[in-house]
Amino acid sequence: MSELTPLTAIGEFALISRLQKGISMRQPGTVLGIGDDAAIIAPTAGTELVMTTDLLVEGIHFDLAFCPLRHLGYKAIAVNVSDVAAMNALPTQLVVALSAGPRFTVEAIEELYAGMRLACEAYNVDLVGGDTTASRGGLTLAITVLGEAPAGEAVRRSGGQPTDLLCVTGDLGGAFLGLQVLEREKQAFLADPETQPELANYEYIVQRQLRPEARLDIVHELRERGIRPTSMIDISDGLASEVLHLCAASSTGARVFTEFLPLANPTLEAAAEFNLDPLTCALNGGEDYELLFTVPVTDHEKLKNHPDITIIGHLTAKEDGANLVTKAGQAVPLQAQGWTSF
Amino acid sequence: MSELTPLTAIGEFALISRLQKGISMRQPGTVLGIGDDAAIIAPTAGTELVMTTDLLVEGIHFDLAFCPLRHLGYKAIAVNVSDVAAMNALPTQLVVALSAGPRFTVEAIEELYAGMRLACEAYNVDLVGGDTTASRGGLTLAITVLGEAPAGEAVRRSGGQPTDLLCVTGDLGGAFLGLQVLEREKQAFLADPETQPELANYEYIVQRQLRPEARLDIVHELRERGIRPTSMIDISDGLASEVLHLCAASSTGARVFTEFLPLANPTLEAAAEFNLDPLTCALNGGEDYELLFTVPVTDHEKLKNHPDITIIGHLTAKEDGANLVTKAGQAVPLQAQGWTSF
């Protein structure tokens, strides 16, 4: 193992200059990237911008005991890009504010940046600036992303109409079960540091937890199919919480059919192993970063047979409330356990 | 004293809803503010955007022992807006990412937001989004600001030419001496908690430290006088460091005349009291958030007699290096002690 450099050994400017290496610009709108008081951006004519910020705090949002820094860098970008996707927009530029305590080395921060660079490449977004400082504690990452949508095409949470179809992308609950596996292996390791983590059987759900992807592919596909969702949100806190957000913003109720909730086989298997109800994992697990959106019933044909979009129910009048409908036809009010950092 | 609410007593969504109160939108380009996955912004036609982010970390950038939360909120916005001003742009929208440990109350975070709202009003910028989470340690604030400049009018650090005049706004060194006063009073308080802080005689420099202003007024005035700086940077780490940044980016040298450096009387008095060289405070003190910029010699007439802009020297050929010229005519190489958080 080569020698590691403490952050205190090089100044802030030298660190920034090392982190800048390998960062390249892809967006035609990026006029000036890292290195000045601010980046300069020329927005594409005829577009509207979206802007969102997300904070990842060590000990609250991630545990470096099992989250490799490269994955963390990738995920930090992905969760922000996911918010851009949830507006029906595509990301263009982002800035990264980072603080790290004395136990971090220059090489560790470079690993983190390597992951961020990978994500920038995957999502075709430019890292145009940032701020890097010391902290007295752990690692904190604040990322702000700018995105573009054709003017008037950005989708809010508030446009849903009663009878609109309620759709989700991908499958749910996997990220939460991946976290359970990682927590179990961490405890086993703490009890006996000779233990080798047993993750091979859980590759899918562990990947869902450690390296989620923002569903930009869906934004592109919806455009290709001529579909503009009436409302949209990304699923970060669990499906139940997000359905309630959409309903509140759109002033509607909803019916979600449990039998239609998309659950992957590895998720079902892990739920059985952990003696957890897979539906609860899907409804309240969080961190899936899939998209929840509504379309008019008339778009049904355009969506049909999409391999990665599932119609899970529909909106209703507000008075009917937001309900979960069991296979037996019984309606129970949806409740968000959601996730709170406090 | 009324009862205080621990952050843990209300959820994240309830907190956000409380913080949102009193936030109003002023910018015509703000299509959608707080409350969705992202804000929506319609950029003004014919403009370019600038984007910058800055992190303030408790124990590194501020000490709540003497920095009131309201002032901290104001300052956090001001230092970011200062970066926008340094691009010759005006701020339009910003987002706030905040993490706070268990010792913070809802009321404390509301105080912080009250200061941010004041700054948004003063700088005519809209707070359009954010993220608020717990931390295991202190308070961290990451703010990202978007600004606009007419296309092609944004000013970089790199446009300076040999013989350009080197100008600064306001006066220098005050914020650093304000910090010395506050640190002294903190020590006195720690030694004897009955001690009342003696700040009355230091109002100006303490204000410079606790509540600096971004020099947007100068951006407006330069436009009114038909001046576009060839290069510009804000003075956050001390004049010496910033002159060296401008010279490096512009591939020039510089001559800075010590006798022209603007020092306010309260700064000179405090420097004498603390037995510090006021020139060193101006050159290496930091946190003044004034602007350093260059203009062609031919703009001299337009700048003359501006009460708040001082010509402190000029750029030179790169080979001459960046020098400080004493009253006696002696040139010494400029050296940045600057500030590093690591």
Side-chain angles (χ1 to χ4, degrees):
Chain A
M1 195 171 182
S2 63
E3 226 161 286
L4 298 175
T5 321
L7 281 180
T8 44
I10 70 173
E12 184 180 343
F13 298 125
L15 175 64
I16 292 171
S17 136
R18 275 177 74 160
L19 296 179
Q20 251 180 275
K21 274 182 201 147
I23 290 179
S24 50
M25 300 295 130
R26 296 167 190 88
Q27 288 285 337
T30 303
V31 178
L32 179 68
I34 299 171
D36 216 298
D37 292 275
I40 305 178
I41 295 158
T44 311
T47 63
E48 269 172 354
L49 305 177
V50 301
M51 185 185 196
T52 177
T53 191
D54 247 316
L55 203 58
L56 290 181
V57 180
E58 185 177 356
I60 305 288
H61 301 96
F62 59 89
D63 184 340
L64 291 176
F66 52 67
C67 183
L69 281 161
R70 193 177 282 243
H71 281 23
L72 178 65
Y74 194 96
K75 181 172 177 173
I77 304 273
V79 304
N80 273 281
V81 167
S82 179
D83 279 320
V84 171
M87 301 299 289
N88 196 33
L90 298 173
T92 48
Q93 287 87 17
L94 61 85
V95 292
V96 175
L98 178 160
S99 71
R103 79 175 204 278
F104 289 87
T105 61
V106 173
E107 288 76 11
I109 304 299
E110 283 180 326
E111 264 301 286
L112 185 75
Y113 263 74
M116 294 200 284
R117 281 202 308 273
L118 277 176
C120 285
E121 203 178 310
Y123 300 129
N124 195 29
V125 56
D126 290 349
L127 199 168
V128 297
D131 191 15
T132 307
T133 81
S135 83
R136 295 212 166 159
L139 182 65
T140 299
L141 265 173
I143 294 180
T144 305
V145 186
L146 218 56
E148 284 186 351
E153 294 293 305
V155 171
R156 309 174 187 206
R157 298 178 180 178
S158 57
Q161 298 293 329
T163 79
D164 277 358
L165 300 175
L166 196 56
C167 312
V168 295
T169 61
D171 56 80
L172 302 176
F176 175 76
L177 282 158
L179 184 59
Q180 305 317 305
V181 170
L182 290 164
E183 292 279 6
R184 182 179 66 186
E185 295 305 317
K186 181 187 171 184
Q187 293 312 321
F189 176 82
L190 290 176
D192 173 12
E194 299 293 307
T195 306
Q196 287 299 311
E198 288 176 26
L199 298 176
N201 293 330
Y202 306 102
E203 206 181 329
Y204 179 73
I205 56 175
V206 165
Q207 176 95 350
R208 295 287 288 170
Q209 169 59 226
L210 293 183
R211 235 192 91 160
E213 291 285 0
R215 299 308 306 260
L216 284 185
D217 55 332
I218 298 291
V219 175
H220 287 291
E221 284 176 23
L222 291 175
R223 288 187 188 178
E224 281 157 21
R225 291 181 183 220
I227 298 169
R228 179 178 177 268
T230 48
S231 69
M232 186 147 60
I233 188 171
D234 77 327
I235 304 178
S236 53
D237 297 340
L239 179 66
S241 170
E242 318 302 357
V243 170
L244 291 173
H245 280 311
L246 268 200
C247 287
S250 294
S251 294
T252 66
R255 284 168 77 84
V256 175
F257 299 92
T258 57
E259 64 188 302
F260 297 151
L261 294 186
L263 296 159
N265 280 333
T267 304
L268 290 167
E269 287 159 18
E273 190 183 329
F274 280 88
N275 210 12
L276 290 167
D277 175 12
L279 284 179
T280 306
C281 297
L283 288 165
N284 296 307
E287 293 211 90
D288 285 319
Y289 298 104
E290 296 293 341
L291 295 173
L292 171 72
F293 61 94
T294 56
V295 296
V297 178
T298 46
D299 278 348
H300 185 258
E301 281 299 313
K302 295 184 195 166
L303 274 182
K304 225 174 48 179
N305 303 325
H306 190 293
D308 216 17
I309 294 176
T310 310
I311 299 171
I312 59 165
H314 59 83
L315 297 186
T316 64
K318 191 180 180 181
E319 306 76 69
D320 301 329
N323 291 288
L324 197 63
V325 184
T326 65
K327 214 168 172 177
Q330 200 187 359
V332 280
L334 254 185
Q335 286 185 321
Q337 288 166 22
W339 186 83
T340 176
S341 68
F342 293 111
Chain B
M1 199 169 181
S2 62
E3 228 161 281
L4 297 175
T5 322
L7 281 179
T8 45
I10 71 173
E12 184 179 343
F13 298 125
L15 175 64
I16 292 170
S17 137
R18 275 177 73 161
L19 296 179
Q20 249 180 279
K21 274 182 200 146
I23 291 179
S24 50
M25 300 294 130
R26 295 169 192 86
Q27 288 284 337
T30 303
V31 178
L32 179 69
I34 299 171
D36 215 299
D37 292 276
I40 306 179
I41 295 159
T44 311
T47 62
E48 269 172 355
L49 305 178
V50 301
M51 185 184 195
T52 176
T53 193
D54 246 317
L55 203 57
L56 290 181
V57 180
E58 185 177 355
I60 305 288
H61 301 95
F62 59 88
D63 184 340
L64 290 176
F66 52 68
C67 182
L69 281 162
R70 192 177 283 243
H71 280 24
L72 177 66
Y74 194 97
K75 180 171 177 173
I77 304 274
V79 304
N80 273 281
V81 167
S82 179
D83 279 321
V84 172
M87 301 300 289
N88 197 32
L90 297 173
T92 49
Q93 286 87 16
L94 61 86
V95 292
V96 176
L98 178 160
S99 71
R103 79 176 204 279
F104 289 88
T105 61
V106 174
E107 289 75 12
I109 305 298
E110 284 181 323
E111 265 299 289
L112 185 74
Y113 263 73
M116 293 200 286
R117 280 203 308 274
L118 278 175
C120 285
E121 205 178 308
Y123 299 129
N124 195 31
V125 56
D126 290 349
L127 199 168
V128 297
D131 192 14
T132 308
T133 83
S135 85
R136 295 213 167 160
L139 182 66
T140 299
L141 265 173
I143 294 180
T144 305
V145 186
L146 218 57
E148 284 185 353
E153 293 293 305
V155 171
R156 308 176 187 204
R157 298 179 179 176
S158 56
Q161 299 293 328
T163 80
D164 277 359
L165 300 175
L166 196 56
C167 312
V168 295
T169 61
D171 56 80
L172 302 175
F176 176 75
L177 282 159
L179 183 60
Q180 305 316 306
V181 170
L182 289 164
E183 292 280 6
R184 182 179 67 186
E185 295 304 316
K186 180 186 172 184
Q187 294 312 321
F189 176 82
L190 291 176
D192 173 10
E194 298 294 307
T195 306
Q196 288 299 311
E198 287 175 27
L199 299 176
N201 293 328
Y202 306 101
E203 208 182 327
Y204 179 74
I205 56 176
V206 165
Q207 176 93 353
R208 294 287 288 169
Q209 169 59 227
L210 292 183
R211 236 191 91 160
E213 292 285 359
R215 300 306 307 259
L216 284 185
D217 55 331
I218 297 292
V219 175
H220 287 290
E221 284 175 23
L222 291 175
R223 288 187 189 178
E224 281 157 21
R225 292 182 182 217
I227 299 170
R228 179 177 177 270
T230 48
S231 70
M232 185 148 60
I233 188 171
D234 78 327
I235 303 177
S236 54
D237 297 340
L239 178 67
S241 170
E242 317 304 355
V243 168
L244 291 172
H245 281 311
L246 269 200
C247 287
S250 295
S251 293
T252 65
R255 285 168 75 83
V256 175
F257 298 92
T258 57
E259 62 187 304
F260 297 151
L261 293 186
L263 296 159
N265 281 333
T267 304
L268 291 168
E269 286 159 17
E273 190 183 328
F274 280 87
N275 212 10
L276 291 166
D277 175 13
L279 284 178
T280 306
C281 298
L283 287 165
N284 295 309
E287 291 211 272
D288 286 319
Y289 297 106
E290 297 293 340
L291 296 172
L292 171 71
F293 61 94
T294 56
V295 296
V297 178
T298 47
D299 278 347
H300 185 259
E301 280 300 312
K302 295 185 196 167
L303 274 183
K304 224 173 54 178
N305 303 323
H306 190 293
D308 216 19
I309 295 176
T310 310
I311 300 171
I312 59 166
H314 59 84
L315 298 186
T316 64
K318 190 179 179 180
E319 305 76 70
D320 300 329
N323 291 289
L324 197 63
V325 183
T326 65
K327 215 168 170 176
Q330 199 187 359
V332 282
L334 254 184
Q335 285 187 320
Q337 290 167 19
W339 185 84
T340 176
S341 68
F342 294 111

